[in-house]
Amino acid sequence: MRYIFIVNPKAGKKDSTKIYVSDIEKHMKNRDIPFEIIETTHARNATEIVKAKISQYKGDKLRFYGFGGDGTLRELCEGVANEPNAELGIFPVGSGNDYIKIFGEKDKFLDFKAQLNGKSVKLDAIKSEFGISLNICSVGLDAKVAHNMVKFKNLPFVSGSVAYDLALVKSLLSGLGENLNVRLHTAKGIEEFKGEFLFALAANGQYYGGGFRGAPKSIANDGIMDLILIKKPPLYLIPSLIGVYKRGEHIDSPVFRKYMIYRRGTKMEISTWRDIPSNHDGECSVITEESFEVMPSAVNFILPEGVSYP
């Protein structure tokens, strides 16, 4: 087994690369394990590094550990997806570390010994026209918030959750609702919906946006995504709905019932008449058409020792 540590110097509030490198060297020096430390230099560089190393060490077992947030995790996921000899682990040191919340507190993910002694489990991923994601993809208000969040999360003393709240306020003030045509692929067949929606979401994970529990019943290893459509509600209801949604209580909420379509399926297809924002684990694009499709058991994800999937 070869260990490759990929450090994103732009993750979190400041560049702690020297600290991370020192920690890696300290914990690896007495282990008879080949390892490398590589620092990313630009967007999507982590994906490039992973693919290059898989090609270089063809046939070898490889463990890729990322130091970063959900964006770094997504880039690593895109590199290891459907690679049987590659495993993915994450030290959650970014401003947003939402995906790992499905496993509990992040302390174990920051514990070197627990990470190195961890074992991998197979988890699902999500494929779209913009690559591969691990957690949650969406279009509409959520994607607009993710886009605006980038502007806030680098401000001093602004955490990931506060940055999301500020981005949410800015997005709400810029207008609500998108006219969408949506096709959901479920066990019952294909369902089609048309209308004005606040957003549409496809999830393998549960949390995003600095702690919003958008898909509280989603299971990351069942080969199925949670598919959620939220119709545009009256503006006066928005403040009360946000709290319910953030806590993950919307699936069973009587208040949400008339505005929400909730299914479990393998694919969501979306089209619209104008450019709208699209979000893939925090990375944003502009689309008029897009699909989100589940990739069952696509990623070998390292769970630190003492952590299990609930």
Side-chain angles (χ1 to χ4, degrees), residues 140-152 167 170-171 277-279 282-286:
L141 177 63
D142 280 10
K144 190 186 299 184
V145 172
H147 175 72
N148 287 327
M149 187 177 173
V150 176
K151 303 172 184 177
F152 291 108
K170 178 178 174 61
S171 301
S278 173
N279 158 58
E283 183 174 315
C284 298
S285 307
V286 175

Side-chain angles (χ1 to χ4, degrees), residues 128-150:
S128 77
E129 286 78 358
F130 294 91
I132 299 171
S133 304
L134 194 60
N135 190 23
I136 291 177
C137 296
S138 62
V139 301
L141 177 63
D142 280 10
K144 190 186 299 184
V145 172
H147 175 72
N148 287 327
M149 187 177 173
V150 176

Side-chain angles (χ1 to χ4, degrees), residues 46-247:
T47 304
E48 297 167 352
I49 292 168
V50 169
K51 290 183 176 181
K53 290 301 175 182
I54 290 173
S55 177
Q56 179 182 352
Y57 300 114
K58 191 161 291 186
D60 289 358
K61 293 282 187 180
L62 301 175
R63 274 198 164 187
F64 295 95
Y65 283 102
F67 284 74
D70 291 322
T72 301
L73 184 57
R74 180 185 188 272
E75 290 191 17
L76 294 173
C77 168
E78 187 151 9
V80 305
N82 289 331
E83 293 286 350
N85 292 328
E87 298 178 349
L88 161 61
I90 189 72
F91 286 82
V93 297
S95 58
N97 307 290
D98 284 311
Y99 182 72
I100 63 164
K101 289 184 173 73
I102 59 178
F103 305 107
E105 297 300 318
K106 70 177 183 179
D107 292 357
K108 284 288 186 181
F109 284 85
L110 296 172
D111 183 326
F112 253 94
K113 184 177 179 181
Q115 283 276 23
L116 297 178
N117 292 336
K119 296 183 178 180
S120 68
V121 297
K122 288 191 175 295
L123 299 181
D124 303 335
I126 304 173
K127 179 175 64 176
S128 77
E129 286 78 358
F130 294 91
I132 299 171
S133 304
L134 194 60
N135 190 23
I136 291 177
C137 296
S138 62
V139 301
L141 177 63
D142 280 10
K144 190 186 299 184
V145 172
H147 175 72
N148 287 327
M149 187 177 173
V150 176
K151 303 172 184 177
F152 291 108
K153 71 177 183 180
N154 292 322
L155 295 176
F157 311 112
V158 176
S159 66
S161 58
V162 173
Y164 187 91
D165 291 341
L166 292 172
L168 177 61
V169 172
K170 178 178 174 61
S171 301
L172 290 173
L173 293 175
S174 65
L176 296 175
E178 302 289 352
N179 287 299
L180 304 179
N181 300 318
V182 184
R183 288 161 56 93
L184 304 181
H185 296 244
T186 73
K188 295 181 179 180
I190 297 177
E191 293 184 78
E192 298 193 24
F193 302 93
K194 296 182 180 181
E196 194 169 17
F197 294 92
L198 206 57
F199 59 84
L201 177 150
N204 276 332
Q206 295 189 8
Y207 297 87
Y208 70 144
F212 278 70
R213 198 175 186 186
K217 296 188 177 185
S218 179
I219 300 172
N221 61 353
D222 63 352
I224 300 291
M225 297 184 297
D226 274 32
L227 308 173
I228 299 172
L229 301 173
I230 303 295
K231 300 174 185 176
K232 181 182 175 181
L235 185 59
Y236 73 87
L237 278 180
I238 293 290
S240 62
L241 294 178
I242 288 175
V244 175
Y245 184 76
K246 185 168 187 176
R247 294 189 298 271

